[in-house]
Amino acid sequence: MNDKTVYSMDEMMVIGFDPLPYKIMEQEGEFKATLDFKRWGKKQNLVAYFSVEEIGKIVASTFWNREYLNLKEIPIGSKLIITFSRKGKTGNYLRKLQVLDSEGNVKETYE
């Protein structure tokens, strides 16, 4: 799939994407993931849904002040390495994103 679209909440509902199985990431670290879906949030954020090999289905937000970690331009279905770090007492945040090529090598990094 080469779909770079960032959908609205209404479009997500029409398409039938189910966000309920996706949970907030509770662990810190680096994880292999697939970008399942992305939509615009309510607070100038982009909400991304990932399937993470070691964890399951997770959801994370990125914000305009970090240029959305370039998620606007990354196609749905892309293989990634995503890095989560602790942010004070508020939990973990998506700190770094690496796009993998078809052989599993890092081809682009966004922080």
Side-chain angles (χ1 to χ4, degrees):
M1 179 183 272
N2 196 20
D3 183 4
K4 294 182 181 180
T5 305
V6 181
Y7 294 92
S8 68
M9 178 68 91
D10 289 340
E11 291 169 327
M12 182 176 82
M13 297 304 178
V14 169
I15 291 168
F17 181 80
D18 182 9
L20 293 178
Y22 293 81
K23 307 298 178 204
I24 294 172
M25 179 57 111
E26 295 181 3
Q27 298 182 34
E28 291 181 83
E30 205 172 78
F31 306 92
K32 288 186 178 180
T34 301
L35 178 59
D36 294 336
F37 197 80
K38 52 190 176 173
R39 69 167 176 86
W40 292 114
K42 294 180 181 178
K43 299 180 180 180
Q44 297 183 342
N45 62 317
L46 186 155
V47 181
Y49 298 87
F50 301 98
S51 291
V52 179
E53 288 183 12
E54 301 88 356
I55 306 293
K57 295 181 179 293
I58 63 150
V59 60
S61 285
T62 61
F63 292 86
W64 66 270
N65 62 339
R66 297 190 65 225
E67 298 181 9
Y68 305 107
L69 291 177
N70 206 49
L71 272 167
K72 290 191 324 182
E73 300 301 322
I74 297 172
I76 293 171
S78 293
K79 303 294 182 191
L80 311 164
I81 295 175
I82 53 178
T83 303
F84 285 85
S85 296
R86 174 73 57 206
K87 184 177 181 182
K89 296 179 180 179
T90 61
N92 292 332
Y93 74 102
L94 182 58
R95 181 177 67 81
K96 181 173 149 185
L97 190 142
Q98 296 172 290
V99 180
L100 303 177
D101 64 18
S102 60
E103 296 176 5
N105 300 311
V106 175
K107 70 177 185 177
E108 297 169 334
T109 299
Y110 303 99
E111 296 187 62

